[in-house]
Structures are given as structure tokens and as C-alpha cells.
């Protein structure tokens, strides 16, 4: 939520800031702004609307200078207008700040500062920061920021600039922030991809870090009490993502590019994990003995990652024969879950920064449970808090709608199931996990095959795009896919969509089915195929228009479905992974047909760092 950037070097800061903000715009896009020191004073240019609007304004004249900070906003406090856009100055205009996160005690601080004579212009929580630092400033920006941060309650990443000091000061607490290191210039940003064009060397900041970033030097310190925290020197991380990974290339939208990257993402995720004989090897920092003692596994995540957990629940349950649960993080954290040192909790988060998921991880640790993080982002907060990490190696996912991260998360659940099956010496699993692992090796190629259905998915999507409602059905391991299909359609095409276990519809929702209501059924599982056919007949009897995603060896569904999209027949644990791209493409082309900006759906932002 919100993207922040900073630059100090020898080039024109304004151009660099705007370019990097564009790369961060998936984090929020309801207003944007920059503040640049022009040699005499700090000039701020900010506006409601997307970065394109800011660029338009700057095309007239732009602040000249080699040090500045910028922001792209996802509004929390105060509507998205020009005044509430960041950066926010103090009373004098000498100090400015950009922030990501929420200052929970801002109303108290604001009242106190107004009492002291500070004049506020915006309705944001952020503005208290510049005034608080103004209050404490005594010729040393870093010291003033440190004092100010100690008074804050909430989660934040912030960057400050003072017109009399040749460095930027940034800090973080439960919101991501990185420093990019280059020759005679340095950068600050909310994430790594935004800076890949300039460097692959980073300090990935930790909670409590405060950093002073000059042209030639960077100093990392902590704003916590040093005697109370274990503050170690930060190492430089070399990131192996390429610039191409973080740009659209020839694609119109990141989402389509990322849908097409799924073969590669899966290939990278399984690389080195499966032996010829089908054994799974994972680098786990949890001793095998502890894993053998586990009596229940809990899967926790939000949104699309939660759907991956629902898929994982089926697989792990059938493989390990112990209780497996899947929970939405924002609920799990408030229901006092029964966890002991014999419970294993798996947290799934593409970004590794989702506030609710991180809060659940802390809760699980407090209760002594074993914890695994599944994430796509090296150095993200989740990687530092879990006992061990499994990476989805999908490369940067930039579109707000998650695609390649989802299928990579499904793959990780298959790997985890195979691994735990061996470690726990399970005698009898429902499926032969060696066979599953061997089939998984062919998945990247099959993903390529599935994408050949793109034209059909587009036709199907263009029909759905005319409607206001759509229903998705599935049974067994296909059911989480129905949910994911509905979420994708809702979030980017704004068509009302709901997903149901196919057998559940007749318990109420079937009342909504009417002439021409689109129903998309995912049907890849033999054991429940005929049952789903019966459910389909029930909606057809109510004059619904039915579309089916199934395996290419299933015959006869064309007789009653308006369209059938086929995925390669393979192991039953893998077909629900192959069903994801058609669902993603349907949502993509429906949104496109309706004329929406696919990568920047309204009201959303990637990486939800607030509760
Ligand atoms: C939907 C989507 C979201 C995320 C959710 C969790 O397309 O992307 O539902 O899946 O916000 O995000 P992460 O995985 O970063 O924790």
C-alpha cells in the first residue's frame, strides 16, 4: 500500500523519481507527488490521480535538483485529493516526508502539535510526521527523526528530507523498504523491482532500521533502544532478478505477461527439488524429528494465497493423514487458535509483507508452533520471522491480480506434501507421491500447452463481459480454483462473481440463476465428475449458460456446455494447477473488453501492509 522512493546522486532527481514511481504504482495509484531540493528550497509537485497526471503537470516545468523523494498513494486517511497527496511539508517547508503505512496515534499527536502552534493542511496521518520532526529538529535530521519515530504507534516506512542536509533519512516498521546502492548515487524504494534498472545491490531494511542515505555513503542504524535489540550490521544483498523481469516488454499489461511466465515460474520453483526417482528435497531449517512429531498443520494466508492454501489442504490431508486446516489470516489472528509446539503453521504470501499474515505468524510463534513461510520475495519481512522459508521462484509479480505466484504456490504445496510424506515415513497416502513429483517435472511444458487455449478463453470472456453476474463451480480439489476464478473476475472486471462447491448451489444460491446467467465449472476430478455434471444439469434446467474447464481426455461435455476449455490430462493433483491460466485469461479478457486498466484495478493495491 503506497509506494515510496528517494534519490540522491548527480542526475536530475525528478525524472528518476517519477520513473521509479511508475514501477511502484501497483502499490497505490490515487495520487502521486515528488519533492526535490533545487539548491535553495524544496519544491513539491503533487496531484490527485495516477502518475500519468503527475507527468503531465511536470511536462510544463519540473523542479531541478539531484536529491528528492516521491510517493504514489493508496488512500487510508483523507480522500485522494491534491492536498492529501504526499510529500507533506512541515510549517516552514524545510522538511518533507513520504510515508507508507498508518500512524495509529496521529490524532493525539496532531492535537499536541496544533497546541504548540503547528499549522496542518491535510487530513492525512502522515502530516504529523513532518511537524513532529520540525518540533525535534536541532541541526541533525536523523536524530530528530529517531525521536519522532519513538512516539509513533502503527506500522510505517518513511523517507524524510531536509533542505539543509545532503542526505535522506528513511526508516521502517512492518512496511517494506530497501536501499539500492550504486556508484555515486543511492536510492530508496518500497521494493526491489523499482530499482533494478539502476542496481542489483541492496540493503533490505529490517524493522527498527533507520538509514541515512548520502551520495556516496549509507549508514544503517536502529531507532529502537540499542541495548534492547540485537542490532547487527546489515549485509548487502545481491538480487538476481533482471530488469526485463520487472518491465512489461511487448505485453500491454503486466498481468498478461505474468500469465505467460507461468511455465518459467514453475520450472524455477521446482528446480533442484525433485530427484530422478521422484523424491522431493527441500532446504528446511526445521529438524526432521520435529516435523515427525507434528500432529496438525494449519495453512494461513489472504486472498489468492488463501486459495492456494485451500488447494494445499486437500493435498496435505490426503498425503499425510493428519488434520489440516486453512484459514484467512485476518480471521485466524483474532480467534485464539489452539496451537502448541506440535503444530506446524504454513504462511503463504507472495509479497511476504501482508500485515494480517505477518501478525498470524507472530501469534503462532508466541504459542510455540513451528512456522514455515512460503513467499516470492527474498528478504521480505516474512522470511525473517518464520523458522524456515520455501521460495516460489516466480520472479517479480507486478500486476495487482496475482497469477504466476498462485500457481507457484500450488506447486510448493505439492513439493511440501512429497517432502513431508517421506520425512514422516507415511505408509499409505491416497496417491503415490513419487509419481506426483515425476509428473510435476512435466508441468512447465504442459503450462505452455494450456496457454494455447488463449483464443477460446478470450471468446468466452467476451461473452461474460456483457453480464453483471457470474458463478463458478467446482468440487474437491477444483473447488479452490472456482474461488480463484471468481476473485480474478471480480477484482479486475468488476463483474459480480461468486464461487461455490457445485453441490452447495441448490441450498440457496440457485435461486439467482436465470436465463443466460454464466456459470463456469471446473471439472478435472474423475471421482466427482458425474456429480458435477448433475449440478450443471440443474443450472441448465434454470436456463444458465454453462462454460466448462476440464481435461482433454474427458468427452461429451460439449453436448450441453456452450464452450469447453481443455487442459492436458495428467495426475489429478496437477490438473487444478493447469486450470488456473484459463481462469486468469477469462478475467483478463473480460476486463479488457470492458475497457478497464487491468494492472490497476480500482480500490486495490498490491501488498496489503495495513490491517
Ligand atoms: C488477488 C491478490 C490478493 C493477494 C492477497 C495476499 O489477485 O493478489 O488477493 O493474494 O492480498 O497477498 P500476499 O500473497 O502478498 O500476502
Amino acid at each position: 500500500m503506497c509506494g515510496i522512493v528517494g534519490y540522491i546522486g548527480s542526475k536530475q532527481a525528478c525524472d528518476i523519481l517519477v520513473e521509479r514511481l511508475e514501477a511502484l504504482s501497483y502499490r497505490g495509484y490515487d495520487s502521486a507527488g515528488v519533492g526535490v531540493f533545487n539548491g535553495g528550497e524544496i519544491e513539491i509537485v503533487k496531484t490527485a490521480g495516477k502518475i500519468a497526471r503527475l507527468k503531465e503537470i511536470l511536462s510544463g516545468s519540473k523542479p531541478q535538483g539531484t536529491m528528492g523523494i516521491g510517493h504514489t498513494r493508496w488512500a487510508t486517511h483523507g480522500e485522494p485529493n491534491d492536498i492529501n497527496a504526499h510529500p507533506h511539508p512541515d510549517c516552514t517547508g524545510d522538511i518533507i516526508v513520504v510515508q507508507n503505512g498508518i500512524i495509529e496515534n496521529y490524532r493525539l499527536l496532531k492535537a499536541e502539535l496544533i497546541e504548540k502552534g503547528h499549522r496542518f493542511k491535510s487530513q492525512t496521518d502522515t502530516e504529523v510526521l513532518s511537524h513532529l520532526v520540525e518540533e525535534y529538529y536541532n541541526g541533525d535530521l536523523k536524530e530528530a527523526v529517531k525521536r519522532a519515530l519513538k512516539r509513533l504507534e502503527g506500522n510505517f516506512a518513511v523517507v524524510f528530507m531536509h533542505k539543509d542536509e545532503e542526505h535522506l533519512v528513511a526508516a521502517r516498521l512492518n512496511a517494506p523498504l530497501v536501499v539500492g546502492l550504486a556508484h555515486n548515487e543511492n536510492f530508496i524504494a518500497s521494493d526491489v523491482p523499482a530499482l533494478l534498472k539502476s542496481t542489483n545491490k541492496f540493503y533490505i531494511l529490517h524493522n527498527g532500521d533507520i538509514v541515512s542515505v548520502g551520495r556516496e555513503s549509507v549508514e544503517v542504524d536502529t531507532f529502537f533502544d540499542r541495548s534492547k535489540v540485537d542490532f547487527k550490521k546489515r549485509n548487502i544483498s545481491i538480487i538476481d532478478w533482471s530488469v526485463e523481469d520487472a518491465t512489461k516488454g511487448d505485453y500491454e499489461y503486466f498481468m498478461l505477461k505474468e500469465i505467460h511466465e507461468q511455465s518459467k515460474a514453475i520450472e524455477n520453483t521446482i528446480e533442484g527439488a525433485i530427484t530422478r526417482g521422484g523424491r522431493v528435497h527441500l532446504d528446511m531449517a526445521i529438524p526432521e524429528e520435529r516435523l515427525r512429531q507434528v500432529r496438525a498443520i494449519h495453512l494461513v494466508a489472504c486472498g489468492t494465497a488463501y486459495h492456494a492454501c485451500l488447494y494445499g489442504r486437500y493435498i496435505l490431508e490426503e498425503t499425510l493423514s493428519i488434520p489440516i486446516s486453512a484459514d484467512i489470516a485476518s480471521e485466524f489472528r483474532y480467534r485464539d487458535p489452539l496451537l502448541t509446539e506440535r503444530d506446524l503453521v504454513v504462511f503463504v504470501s507472495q509479497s511476504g509483507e501482508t500485515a494480517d499474515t505477518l501478525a498470524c505468524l507472530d501469534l503462532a510463534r508466541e504459542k510455540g508452533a513451528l512456522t514455515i513461510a512460503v513467499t516470492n520475495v527474498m528478504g521480505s519481512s516474512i522470511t525473517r520471522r518464520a523458522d524456515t522459508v520455501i521460495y516460489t521462484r516466480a520472479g517479480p509479480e507486478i500486476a495487482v491480480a496475482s497469477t504466476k505466484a498462485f500457481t507457484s504456490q500450488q506447486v510448493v504445496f505439492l513439493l511440501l506434501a512429497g517432502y513431508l510424506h517421506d520425512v514422516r515415513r507415511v505408509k499409505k497416502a491416497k496417491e503415490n507421491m513419487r509419481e506426483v513429483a515425476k509428473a510435476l517435472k512435466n508441468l512447465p511444458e504442459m503450462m505452455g500447452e494450456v496457454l494455447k487455449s488463449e483464443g477460446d478463453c478470450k471468446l468466452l470472456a467476451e461473452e461474460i463481459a456483457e453480464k453483471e453476474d457470474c458463478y463458478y463451480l467446482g468440487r474437491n480439489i477444483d473447488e479452490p480454483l472456482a474461488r480463484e476464478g471468481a476473485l480474478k473476475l471480480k477484482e479486475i472486471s468488476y463483474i459480480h462473481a461468486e464461487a461455490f462447491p457445485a453441490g452447495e448451489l441448490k441450498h440457496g444460491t440457485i435461486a439467482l440463476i436465470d436465463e443466460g446467467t454464466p456459470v463456469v465449472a471446473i471439472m478435472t476430478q474423475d471421482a466427482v465428475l458425474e456429480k458435477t455434471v448433475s449440478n450443471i444439469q440443474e443450472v441448465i434446467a434454470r436456463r444458465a449458460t454453462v462454460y466448462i474447464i476440464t481435461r482433454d481426455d474427458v468427452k461429451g461435455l460439449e453436448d450441453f456446455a456452450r464452450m469447453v476449455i481443455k487442459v492436458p490430462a495428467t495426475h489429478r493433483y496437477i490438473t487444478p494447477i493447469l486450470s488456473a491460466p484459463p481462469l486468469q485469461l477469462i478475467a483478463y479478457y473480460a476486463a479488457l473488453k470492458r475497457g478497464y486498466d487491468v494492472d490497476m484495478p480500482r480500490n486495490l493495491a498490491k501488498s496489503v501492509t495495513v490491517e
Side-chain angles (χ1 to χ4, degrees), residues 81 198 216 245 254 289 351 386 445 516 528 557 565 567:
N81 58 25
S198 305
E216 283 162 23
D245 286 337
F254 275 110
E289 194 44 44
S351 61
E445 198 185 321
V528 288
L557 303 182
I565 307 276
V567 305

Side-chain angles (χ1 to χ4, degrees), residues 67-248:
M67 172 172 88
I69 62 180
H71 188 268
T72 179
R73 179 167 187 244
W74 185 85
T76 58
H77 296 64
E79 65 175 271
N81 58 25
D82 292 359
I83 291 177
N84 290 332
H86 301 211
H88 289 286
D90 68 337
C91 297
T92 62
D94 291 352
I95 300 168
I96 61 168
V97 64
V98 290
Q99 183 221 348
N100 165 27
I102 291 181
I103 309 303
E104 285 164 5
N105 58 340
Y106 83 100
R107 286 193 300 142
L108 272 176
L109 294 170
K110 188 168 175 175
E112 176 189 314
L113 288 159
I114 289 175
E115 183 81 60
K116 289 189 164 138
H118 291 265
R119 296 173 313 280
F120 280 76
K121 297 196 186 82
S122 76
Q123 287 85 48
T124 63
D125 54 338
T126 308
E127 200 184 345
V128 297
L129 295 170
S130 46
H131 293 282
L132 202 56
V133 170
E134 177 187 8
E135 190 61 30
Y136 294 140
Y137 188 73
N138 200 2
D140 185 338
L141 181 61
K142 192 172 113 187
E143 283 311 309
V145 172
K146 265 189 177 179
R147 277 187 73 188
L149 296 186
K150 288 201 172 98
R151 302 228 25 223
L152 305 184
E153 283 165 26
N155 300 316
F156 49 82
V158 285
V159 190
F160 290 86
M161 184 166 95
H162 191 295
K163 83 169 190 17
D164 296 336
E165 300 200 18
E166 290 229 354
H167 63 144
L168 304 171
V169 173
R172 65 155 279 174
L173 186 67
N174 294 325
L177 200 63
V178 300
V179 178
L181 309 166
H183 182 60
N184 287 341
E185 57 180 1
N186 289 308
F187 303 79
I188 300 168
S190 296
D191 72 17
V192 163
L195 302 181
L196 286 173
K197 213 169 164 186
S198 305
T199 184
N200 67 345
K201 283 196 202 120
F202 290 89
Y203 280 126
I204 312 277
L205 298 186
H206 296 191
N207 281 341
D209 282 356
I210 182 166
V211 60
S212 161
V213 180
R215 286 187 173 79
E216 283 162 23
S217 67
V218 174
E219 275 170 39
V220 189
D221 190 359
T222 178
F223 61 85
F224 289 154
D225 184 345
R226 263 179 185 272
S227 62
K228 294 200 180 118
V229 293
D230 175 24
F231 181 77
K232 297 194 191 78
K233 199 174 171 301
R234 296 275 163 267
N235 292 326
I236 294 175
S237 306
I238 309 288
I239 304 289
D240 64 1
W241 288 348
S242 69
V243 188
E244 290 71 41
D245 286 337
T247 52
K248 274 190 276 195

Side-chain angles (χ1 to χ4, degrees), residues 361-427:
L361 172 49
D362 292 342
L363 179 76
R365 286 178 64 91
E366 262 168 46
K367 289 178 179 259
L370 291 170
T371 56
I372 298 181
V374 177
T375 187
N376 197 38
V377 180
M378 210 182 122
S380 56
S381 299
I382 208 169
T383 62
R384 293 197 290 273
R385 301 202 207 165
D387 293 320
T388 193
V389 182
I390 306 175
Y391 284 100
T392 50
R393 301 194 185 274
E397 191 180 68
I398 293 177
V400 166
S402 182
T403 54
K404 60 179 179 172
F406 174 67
T407 43
S408 303
Q409 288 158 358
Q410 290 179 287
V411 164
V412 164
F413 275 117
L414 287 182
L415 294 176
L416 188 63
Y419 171 78
L420 289 176
H421 173 267
D422 278 353
V423 165
R424 292 172 62 88
R425 302 171 191 141
V426 180
K427 291 272 172 322

Side-chain angles (χ1 to χ4, degrees), residues 111 201 284 311 382 385 402 430 434 509 521 525 528 579:
K201 283 196 202 120
M284 294 276 251
Y311 164 84
I382 208 169
R385 301 202 207 165
S402 182
K430 188 153 184 185
R434 299 277 157 85
T509 310
Q525 302 296 305
V528 288
S579 307

Side-chain angles (χ1 to χ4, degrees), residues 302-305 348-352 354 400-402 487-488 491 606 608:
C302 301
T304 287
V348 183
S349 174
Q350 186 284 129
S351 61
T354 299
V400 166
S402 182
L487 178 62
K488 285 286 94 88
E491 67 178 324
K606 208 166 178 76
V608 184

